[in-house]
Every structure is written in C-alpha cells, then in structure tokens.
C-alpha cells in the first residue's frame, strides 16, 4: 500500500474530547441512520483534513455528514462545519432535546437524539456531490471501515498502521 492510501485510510485514535453527551447523541443518531438504511462510520478523516463526527452511506451511494453538538457553546465555537458540505449530499446537526432548534443554521437538517435513539426534526436540503468527490468519499469510507474491522480481528497484524 503506498503512503497516500495508507494516510487516507488511517483511523485516528480516539481523541477523548467527546463528552458523554456527544457520545450518547452519536449512538442514538447511528441507530436512526441504520433504520433509514445507512451504514455509519464515526470520526472519518475527510479529504480537506477535517474529521467528520458521523458519515453515513446508503445503498444508493448517498453520503450524509452529521455534526454532533452537545451544547450551545459547542456550536458557537465551531467554525469548521461549513467545510463538511463539500463532502456530502446532505449535512445535519445532531443534538439533545435540551438545545433549541433555532440556534442551528437553516440550511442544514436537524436530528434530536439521546443514547437510545433519535428522530429527524427536519430534513437537510440536498446538494448532490460531483461524481469524483462521491467516489473519493465512498473509497475513504470503505477503506476506513475495512481497516477498523481488520484491526478488531487482528490487532497485532495492524500494529504498524497505528504507531
């Protein structure tokens, strides 16, 4: 595997910055997405160098990015979410019912979640990806998913990728 492919596929170690609330929202949101026919990957590195909280892919090849927010301060401090739009067909925010919907941008979808499930408060507008970007994101998703599975099955066989 060349260095470029290797760097794209690397899954960063958990950064431990996620709060218990953010982890619960991610879990509930992933459950909702699975019920809608999507497979999810968390903390996926994007071509831009950013890392998306959740990326979802369905059998039609649609790609959604979900940015998780655990507080009003978390949203106010985030200046990077605009960049995610270039890597998905739809962009959502997922958050707890304790946050008001009015604080989120109007041109994004909203998902209200807890650790046990979620519901779609409003759909995100669609902005179709270019074919080349869709392919790049699909390959990135597949490589990260496969490496994560391989790492679980054979942690010692993949040690050189994680050091």
């Amino acid at each position: 595997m060349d260095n470029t492919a290797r760097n794209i596929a690397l899954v960063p170690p958990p950064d431990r910055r996620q709060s218990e609330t953010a982890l619960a929202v991610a879990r509930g949101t992933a459950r909702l997405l699975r019920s809608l026919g999507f497979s999810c990957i968390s903390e996926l590195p994007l071509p831009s160098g950013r890392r998306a909280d959740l990326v979802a892919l369905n059998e039609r090849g649609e790609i959604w990015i979900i940015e998780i927010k655990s507080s009003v301060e978390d949203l106010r401090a985030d200046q990077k979410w605009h960049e995610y739009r270039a890597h998905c067909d739809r962009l959502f925010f997922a958050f707890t019912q304790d946050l008001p919907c009015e604080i989120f941008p109007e041109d994004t979808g909203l998902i209200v979640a807890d650790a046990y499930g979620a519901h779609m408060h409003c759909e995100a507008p669609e902005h179709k990806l270019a074919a080349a970007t869709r392919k790049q994101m699909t390959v990135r998703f597949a490589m990260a998913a496969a490496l994560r599975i391989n790492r679980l099955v054979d942690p010692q066989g993949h040690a050189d990728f994680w050091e």
Side-chain angles (χ1 to χ4, degrees):
M1 181 182 302
D2 70 21
N3 284 340
T4 304
R6 187 176 187 178
N7 289 336
I8 288 173
L10 284 178
V11 179
D15 61 18
R16 309 274 187 242
R17 291 184 300 164
Q18 293 86 2
S19 66
E20 289 300 317
T21 301
L23 293 171
V25 169
R27 179 179 161 188
T29 300
R31 288 179 175 188
L32 169 68
L33 292 167
R34 280 192 299 274
S35 77
L36 297 173
F38 285 85
S39 295
C40 295
I41 249 188
S42 61
E43 301 297 324
L44 183 69
L46 300 173
S48 65
R50 298 288 187 194
R51 191 172 8 157
D53 292 333
L54 286 177
V55 177
L57 175 70
N58 69 11
E59 65 182 19
R60 293 186 308 269
E62 292 175 300
I63 298 170
W64 293 2
I65 291 181
I66 299 84
E67 177 67 5
I68 296 169
K69 294 297 163 204
S70 58
S71 67
V72 174
E73 295 77 23
D74 187 13
L75 177 65
R76 287 186 181 144
D78 183 0
Q79 299 300 311
K80 65 190 181 315
W81 68 266
H82 299 279
E83 297 175 33
Y84 298 157
R85 198 177 298 281
H87 306 290
C88 63
D89 295 302
R90 295 178 192 260
L91 178 63
F92 292 85
F93 281 97
F95 53 94
T96 68
Q97 65 182 3
D98 299 330
L99 297 178
C101 295
E102 298 76 32
I103 67 170
F104 293 95
E106 289 183 18
D107 60 343
T108 61
L110 302 178
I111 297 171
V112 179
D114 62 22
Y116 304 101
H119 75 273
M120 186 88 57
H121 183 72
C122 68
E123 288 278 344
E126 185 176 56
H127 44 274
K128 288 279 192 191
L129 285 175
T133 304
R134 182 175 314 285
K135 179 182 178 184
Q136 182 181 38
M137 284 297 295
T138 302
V139 168
R140 185 173 289 267
F141 187 100
M143 296 268 311
L147 281 172
R148 290 178 190 188
I149 291 168
N150 290 333
R151 187 172 145 192
L152 288 172
V153 172
D154 183 13
Q156 292 79 23
H158 294 273
D160 62 323
F161 283 98
W162 313 110
E163 294 174 352

